[in-house]
Amino acid sequence: MSKTIAWRSPSNIALIKYWGKYGRQLPKNASISLTLENAFSETHLQYEQKNAQSAAGLSFDFLFEGKENPNFSARIEKFMSSILDEMPFLKDYHFQIQSHNSFPHSAGIASSASGLSALALCLTQLATEIGYGDFTKENFKEKASYFSRLASGSACRSIYGGAAIWGETPHYEKASNLYAVPYGESLHPIFHTYHNDILFVSKAEKKVSSTAGHQLMEGNPFAEARYAQAQDNLGKLLTHLKNGDIHEAGFIIEEEALTLHALMMSSRPSFVLMQPNTLLLIHKLRAWREETKLPLYFTLDAGPNLHLLYPSEIKTQAQAFIQSELLPYCENGQYLADKVGQGAFAL
Ligand code: PMV
């Protein structure tokens, strides 16, 4: 008889960027992200104990939005194989995994953070339900974050509501390189309703995978200075996030986004992931901010799309500006309105 476990897990947007890794998916610097609400994946894991005649080894079928997807299947296979030492019981079951996203796959939003954390949550729940090893209800989130990290680095931050920190730092004692820890409760209330609207400058596929991007940091002449800057920026940002210094926080957040792109531009080979309209929108946004003094800031992921950050207090003004001045420069005038969310939950 088969049983099913299902989780919804959101995407997250980094304010201090993780870019550069070593060893088994360990970060070269600590990062912090906001957990999103509307951009999420839902994964259903149906499992059935194999019988004595079944083939040994991992056994699963995977459907993404109802269809086979060889790329995603290969990624899942790689992930599940990589954790067999820690979850050897995975070989005892046959799995049917189904996953879908709340956002269109081609929208230029990375789905690995939400999709793979949802799967890691399902597997961690299975381990907990069967009482495997030291898996308990008490360490559930930490374990789920640990396995999410092994699946896809920054995915480990998606587990918790509000905000999450991943990576050791003197600025936050509880932080670890192995899993993310929640920071939501320390956020000033102004950030609890923070919006993150993703403006689609271009929905084309990413030109460089994050795996390749992290590797390029190994030869980057600015790498060490970057890791020191990230450390320093994290310390300052944590203070601003706690005190509600929204402009001070915004300056650091923009610096982080532009540094991430500067690192890609200064790598060998070099990548320019911004499009002309990315820069145009940045200039427009900064001019509007200068004029209105309102706290509208941006961040970028490893791509051309602009993430706009603002508190709900200025929602009316910010959205009117976005609609009239920015959307005309987006692909088909499209954007995705999102905001800080509650974190992953079981369905
Ligand atoms: O988790 P990865 O390996 O896809 O790397 C993510 C890197 C950035 O999205 C650019 C920054 C971050 O911290 O999320």
Side-chain angles (χ1 to χ4, degrees):
M1 211 192 60
S2 71
K3 289 189 187 165
T4 301
I5 291 172
W7 278 83
R8 174 189 291 190
S9 190
S11 193
N12 69 71
I13 180 74
L15 304 180
I16 300 292
K17 308 292 181 183
Y18 146 62
W19 199 242
K21 63 178 173 181
Y22 69 98
R24 195 180 177 205
Q25 200 91 296
L26 299 165
K28 282 281 202 175
N29 65 266
S31 57
I32 182 167
S33 59
L34 296 175
T35 304
L36 302 182
E37 172 116 317
N38 299 330
F40 59 80
S41 301
E42 286 184 349
T43 298
H44 287 74
L45 179 82
Q46 200 180 327
Y47 59 100
E48 188 161 14
Q49 199 124 25
K50 286 185 191 169
N51 55 37
Q53 288 82 47
S54 306
L58 268 182
S59 159
F60 73 92
D61 301 314
F62 174 68
L63 293 180
F64 178 68
E65 309 206 318
K67 294 194 201 102
E68 289 186 0
N69 185 314
N71 285 345
F72 288 180
S73 280
R75 183 104 196 238
I76 290 171
E77 163 113 48
K78 193 169 160 218
F79 163 53
M80 287 175 55
S81 306
S82 78
I83 58 170
L84 281 175
D85 275 356
E86 287 146 301
M87 291 194 184
F89 61 85
L90 293 181
K91 285 193 279 196
D92 303 338
Y93 294 90
H94 174 71
F95 298 103
Q96 283 188 311
I97 309 169
Q98 301 212 32
S99 190
H100 64 264
N101 294 341
S102 62
F103 47 90
H105 175 50
S106 59
I109 305 178
S111 64
S112 58
S114 54
L116 289 166
S117 56
L119 177 61
L121 282 153
C122 290
L123 297 176
T124 307
Q125 186 178 328
L126 175 59
T128 311
E129 274 178 18
I130 64 171
Y132 182 76
D134 64 345
F135 287 79
T136 61
K137 281 195 178 125
E138 286 67 41
N139 65 20
F140 178 79
K141 285 195 172 173
E142 192 176 296
K143 289 270 190 199
S145 178
Y146 171 90
F147 287 104
S148 299
R149 176 197 116 233
L150 294 177
S152 174
S154 61
C156 69
R157 299 183 309 231
S158 282
I159 308 296
Y160 311 99
I165 298 180
W166 171 39
E168 282 162 18
T169 166
H171 305 296
Y172 202 66
E173 218 178 284
K174 282 182 262 171
S176 165
N177 278 351
L178 302 178
Y179 47 82
V181 294
Y183 191 73
E185 282 181 10
S186 307
L187 283 182
H188 185 276
I190 198 158
F191 295 108
H192 288 167
T193 63
Y194 220 34
H195 288 250
N196 174 73
D197 292 349
I198 308 167
L199 270 53
F200 298 120
V201 171
S202 165
K203 297 199 282 173
E205 288 271 321
K206 277 208 229 174
K207 275 194 237 135
V208 58
S209 71
S210 37
T211 310
H214 290 293
Q215 262 160 19
L216 287 174
M217 280 301 277
E218 277 162 36
N220 189 301
F222 303 109
E224 290 313 315
R226 159 60 191 159
Y227 302 137
Q229 177 205 34
Q231 181 86 280
D232 186 47
N233 274 351
L234 179 65
K236 290 184 179 132
L237 184 63
L238 291 184
T239 307
H240 302 322
L241 291 177
K242 214 182 291 168
N243 298 343
D245 301 330
I246 203 155
H247 286 287
E248 296 298 325
F251 294 135
I252 294 177
I253 292 166
E254 290 194 356
E255 183 178 291
E256 282 288 311
L258 294 173
T259 300
L260 171 70
H261 282 257
L263 290 166
M264 285 187 260
M265 287 191 244
S266 57
S267 292
R268 266 192 209 159
S270 116
F271 290 92
V272 181
L273 299 187
M274 284 192 262
Q275 293 288 331
N277 279 352
T278 314
L279 283 174
L280 187 98
L281 294 183
I282 290 174
H283 284 299
K284 281 183 167 287
L285 181 155
R286 286 186 163 180
W288 187 80
R289 190 167 71 220
E290 184 60 40
E291 192 190 309
T292 62
K293 310 286 180 230
L294 293 174
L296 176 65
Y297 289 87
F298 70 87
T299 187
L300 299 158
D301 215 336
N305 301 327
L306 212 63
H307 290 245
L308 297 188
L309 299 162
Y310 55 92
S312 61
E313 280 83 345
I314 68 156
K315 184 175 163 190
T316 311
Q317 298 99 307
Q319 291 190 348
F321 167 64
I322 293 168
Q323 298 278 348
S324 64
E325 302 290 325
L326 303 187
L327 291 189
Y329 301 96
C330 294
E331 195 169 322
N332 307 322
Q334 276 180 309
Y335 80 115
L336 182 102
D338 212 336
K339 56 184 193 311
V340 172
Q342 298 307 306
F345 58 85
L347 294 167

